[in-house]
Amino acid sequence: MASLLILRHAHEAFGHLLPLEITDEQLLSGADAGSMENVGPSVSYIPGLNALSRLFMIWHSSQAVTTQSMDNLYDHIVQAQRLLEDLPPELTWQPPHREQFAFNVQKVNLKVTQLHIRSNLLEQMNALAKYQHMRATPDAIFNERHRVVEELLDVLYNMPEEVFDANGYSIVPKIRDIGGALLDELRTGPQDLNLQASINLDKLLAKLDSLDQRIMVQAANV
């Protein structure tokens, strides 16, 4: 049987392609998806999957422009921030994290992916500011980068490392990439931020070292 692959652009509507956010009980019982009435005590993992898909679409949308601009980059940073503000309670980032393990895995994946997107968009803003010889904007970019790193440290130090293991190898490169931007801040950022950036980098490297060791142990046991 022949199959057809349809490629879609970032600006195209895709909401109808996402799976319905229903529970396993609703799916197995044949409940009316339009009514979305709960037929069991469990909750669905699909909202987390859909939120992650929307994050990736925000990233692709941010790059789907002929000429990049500060307004476009900033608008997509705001979109990424707002997306995680409108999630079910079990996916909301609010320590301590005592929910089911699977939801904590989703929370880490969503949060680190969002931070990675914000960090990359900030780096593009920084490069554009330098290209356009802006003076005031880079300080605001460094401040926002500092907030991204603080939020990342919150994730790293408030979640058990087992949660990061469950996310596989994809999560560590994102963390390392954000750390690389922080290292750049130490070289080029405002002097009054350098001390805190240095402290944050030490914390980040300590966690990365621990996660890397866990990955090596897991690989050796395979």
Side-chain angles (χ1 to χ4, degrees):
M1 180 182 293
S3 60
L4 178 63
L5 176 64
I6 301 177
L7 299 178
R8 296 183 176 271
H9 298 287
H11 63 272
E12 292 183 288
F14 69 99
H16 65 287
L17 299 176
L18 296 177
L20 292 173
E21 298 183 356
I22 59 177
T23 65
D24 290 346
E25 285 78 5
Q26 287 175 305
L27 181 64
L28 294 173
S29 68
D32 181 7
S35 66
M36 300 302 288
E37 294 179 356
N38 290 325
V39 296
S42 72
V43 287
S44 175
Y45 296 112
I46 299 177
L49 172 64
N50 285 347
L52 187 63
S53 298
R54 291 188 176 98
L55 277 175
F56 288 132
M57 290 305 297
I58 287 173
W59 165 254
H60 286 295
S61 173
S62 72
Q63 306 304 298
V65 292
T66 304
T67 303
Q68 193 58 270
S69 68
M70 285 290 189
D71 286 344
N72 179 65
L73 292 168
Y74 178 74
D75 177 63
H76 283 86
I77 288 175
V78 172
Q79 288 184 42
Q81 290 174 315
R82 288 177 177 170
L83 180 63
L84 295 199
E85 294 173 359
D86 187 25
L87 291 174
E90 61 272 11
L91 293 174
T92 302
W93 188 261
Q94 187 65 44
H97 304 281
R98 296 171 179 157
E99 298 83 3
Q100 296 181 33
F101 181 80
F103 285 122
N104 284 339
V105 171
Q106 284 193 315
K107 287 162 76 169
V108 166
N109 196 3
L110 285 168
K111 188 63 176 178
V112 174
T113 300
Q114 185 231 46
L115 293 173
H116 190 228
I117 289 172
R118 286 165 58 190
S119 178
N120 275 276
L121 294 176
L122 286 169
E123 291 310 297
Q124 291 186 41
M125 290 181 72
N126 191 37
L128 189 59
K130 291 178 180 178
Y131 177 76
Q132 297 178 349
H133 304 291
M134 298 180 183
R135 295 182 178 178
T137 304
D139 287 348
I141 294 171
F142 288 131
N143 287 329
E144 182 60 26
R145 181 191 288 160
H146 180 74
R147 282 189 283 271
V148 167
V149 172
E150 289 285 354
E151 290 180 36
L152 177 59
L153 290 174
D154 183 38
V155 176
L156 291 172
Y157 282 88
N158 279 289
M159 275 291 187
E161 292 187 341
E162 291 79 7
V163 173
F164 295 91
D165 296 341
N167 272 294
Y169 301 132
S170 65
I171 208 82
V172 173
K174 294 176 183 178
I175 297 171
R176 187 173 285 112
D177 198 30
I178 297 172
L182 181 60
L183 183 60
D184 179 65
E185 177 180 313
L186 281 169
R187 294 195 299 261
T188 63
Q191 291 298 316
D192 59 337
L193 289 179
N194 278 356
L195 177 58
Q196 187 59 52
S198 179
I199 294 172
N200 286 344
L201 183 60
D202 288 342
K203 292 180 179 179
L204 188 56
L205 290 176
K207 274 295 181 179
L208 272 173
D209 182 60
S210 177
L211 292 175
D212 283 338
Q213 289 185 33
R214 294 177 68 90
I215 289 175
M216 288 189 291
V217 170
Q218 290 173 355
N221 292 332
V222 172

